[in-house]
Amino acid sequence: MLEEIPVSNNGVPEPEIAQASKPVSRMRLVLSRLRSTPRFWVGVIGLGAVILWAAFGLIPNQWNYTDLDVYSMGSSPNSVHWFGTSDIGEDIYAQTIVGLRKSLVIGLLVGPIAAIIAGIVGAVAGYLGGWWDRTIIWFIDLLLVLPSLFLFILLSPIFKSLSWVALIFLLAGFGWMIMARVIRAQTMSLRERDFIKAARFMGVDTWTIIRRHVLPNVSSLLIIDATLGVGGAILSETTLSFFGFGIQAPDVSLGTLLASGQGAAVTRPWLFIFPAAILVFTVLSASLVGDALRDAVDPTSGVNRD
């Protein structure tokens, strides 16, 4: 005998009503918004293609970025040198890939590191309050008013003698302040919630509350900040290297390639166009992903542009 399914007054089976009224988790809602956002997929595909090309692009190429072809100096793109060569016979294709690798590593590390610093500092200031909050905010405001570019220039002689890894921590050290203020404001709201008060009344220590309850509730903001920070870090590194204050020879980055090719942008445009196009494409892809994430987490952050 078939089981009779209860039906509501409007003819809809009650199990379907219960399933339809079941609340959707925040993660599923964000993923649903991302799936219906074309610019997210454009950014993910573009950024993924750039990373794959940087990782495996040298395999089909017979030239290393340090090789010199004395028989083909300053040549235009051809079947042997796909992006052409420099004045001394360096393969621009190989140098572009190696420079892209360096810029990607810096960007993919600086963004998350700056987001982690912002999350910790902002959560501590917002949760502890009092003189902790006043001291941290004073320090953040001080860093915000300091001209970071001039500080980079002043510190560049010190970092020239160090590895390019030092540039990662320098860029991350000046890229967390704005998001830290946002996290502080969110934390000040969270600490008045019932679950935070309950944990405090149960004797849970401050650092455990911040780690288990505060940071997970602001993680979406930190993910967005880390994603958007990738493109910003790549641009910052390129700018510093372009002016001679970032990556130093014999290392190669997109900034050093643009600096060496700017003088020949008209007479030998392949020296400048290829690194510049890769830089624009990479930063645009990372920005599209971060922009889509921001709108998916907070639909009120901007109008729907799709």
Side-chain angles (χ1 to χ4, degrees), residues 117 121 135-149 151 172-178 180:
I117 297 174
V121 174
T135 303
I136 292 174
I137 289 300
W138 175 85
F139 180 69
I140 291 175
D141 291 340
L142 176 63
L143 291 179
L144 285 174
V145 299
L146 290 176
S148 57
L149 179 60
L151 288 178
F174 284 92
W176 56 271
M177 290 84 71
I178 295 178

Side-chain angles (χ1 to χ4, degrees), residues 158-178:
I158 300 175
F159 286 94
K160 283 183 179 180
S161 60
L162 301 176
S163 169
W164 58 269
V165 178
L167 182 63
I168 295 176
F169 296 99
L170 182 65
L171 291 173
F174 284 92
W176 56 271
M177 290 84 71
I178 295 178

Side-chain angles (χ1 to χ4, degrees), residues 51-73:
I51 294 174
L52 289 176
W53 185 59
F56 305 106
L58 281 180
I59 294 178
N61 189 50
Q62 60 177 317
W63 300 95
N64 192 17
Y65 80 103
T66 57
D67 293 341
L68 300 179
D69 187 357
V70 296
Y71 300 103
S72 181
M73 295 186 294

